[in-house]
DNA sequence: CGGCATCCCGTCGGATACTG
DNA sequence: CAGTATCCGACGGGATGCCG
């Protein structure tokens, strides 16, 4: 078991692990973009690729695989011809919306703060 | 102005920028650890270094500089001998606690979910 | 359609030593 | 005490081409 970073701060190691889990899911260039495209409906590989500007199939494949391993998306294969593959968020994955909202809100408030501080410094 | 990743999703570009700002502050190996040590009281460089197991002065210096540029911490120099330098969270920085709590909670719930799903698969 | 294999490069972060 | 300088490996992620 890895140690907590926080010496002398009363913080259950479980919390640190949970934090790492979450960061692992939301960091990286594409993960949140992928989650966002799946928030309201499941989609096929090529649909996601078309919606996310600039992502290569290599990265999409890699990220989807990681998200699946992390229990955020589910991959469903339908044995038709041609093969149909759909990706869908798990319940946990859907709850990431709350996290995204929280992050966006901090960013917005923070920008206001920064502007206010700048104006004050100017005066 | 950079484009949003999300084609066809009605999402103000401002939100995407805010999201990126926030991610920029919470990602990386040490940033959240540093913020956490400063949550309840300001500290000196060597105090932080002592509390965060494994961080090198190089990384601590670099991260503190970035956090300062991003308006999350403030650096205060007192011209005593020897020189005293203190780091303190801004108001925005203090509000990161809410984000950390949100991330931890998702991680905890998610782990429960995963365990439940595993048990179901076993049955 | 839904990927995988290969090559490549820039950045992140570690190790170590040194300074005002 | 509060950093800086230098070197270096690991990894994220891009480009391109091929496959069932």
């Amino acid at each position: 078991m890895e140690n907590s970073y926080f010496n002398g701060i009363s913080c259950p190691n479980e919390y640190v692990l949970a934090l790492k889990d979450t960061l692992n899911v939301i960091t990286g260039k594409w993960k949140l973009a992928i989650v966002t495209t799946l928030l309201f409906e499941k989609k096929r590989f090529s649909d996601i690729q078309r919606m996310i500007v600039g992502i290569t199939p290599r990265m999409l494949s890699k990220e989807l695989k990681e998200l699946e391993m992390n229990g955020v998306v589910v991959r469903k294969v339908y044995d038709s011809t041609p093969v149909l593959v759909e990706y869908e968020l798990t319940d946990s994955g859907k709850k990431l919306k709350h996290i995204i909202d929280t992050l966006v809100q901090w960013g917005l408030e923070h920008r206001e703060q920064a502007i206010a501080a700048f104006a004050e410094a100017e005066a």
Side-chain angles (χ1 to χ4, degrees), chain A:
Chain A
M1 173 80 91
E2 199 174 345
N3 267 336
S4 162
Y5 292 145
F6 310 103
N7 275 352
I9 296 188
S10 143
C11 167
N13 213 301
E14 183 188 6
Y15 283 21
V16 178
L17 294 178
L19 181 57
K20 285 186 180 178
D21 284 355
T22 310
L23 287 173
N24 194 30
V25 165
I26 67 175
T27 59
K29 189 169 179 182
W30 303 111
K31 290 215 177 67
L32 275 191
I34 295 171
V35 168
T36 305
T37 68
L38 295 176
L39 266 182
F40 295 111
E41 46 174 3
K42 54 187 167 185
K43 290 199 172 57
R44 311 175 58 168
F45 190 93
S46 46
D47 290 334
I48 306 174
Q49 194 185 351
R50 220 172 303 115
M51 296 187 67
I52 302 182
V53 179
I55 196 170
T56 61
R58 182 179 106 83
M59 286 311 294
L60 181 53
S61 173
K62 215 189 93 196
E63 301 292 57
L64 281 170
K65 212 170 280 176
E66 289 179 25
L67 289 172
E68 192 190 356
M69 285 195 334
N70 286 324
V72 171
V73 312
V74 178
R75 181 176 188 266
K76 286 181 180 166
V77 183
Y78 300 91
D79 240 356
S80 51
T81 34
V83 175
L84 171 63
V85 182
E86 281 182 339
Y87 293 90
E88 184 175 4
L89 291 182
T90 62
D91 286 350
S92 284
K94 287 170 190 160
K95 287 183 191 150
L96 285 173
K97 180 172 186 335
H98 179 230
I99 289 189
I100 297 175
D101 290 343
T102 306
L103 298 180
V104 168
Q105 183 167 0
W106 185 90
L108 293 174
E109 286 176 13
H110 178 54
R111 188 158 288 201
E112 279 177 25
Q113 279 266 131
I115 292 172
F118 182 75
E120 193 175 331
E122 285 287 88

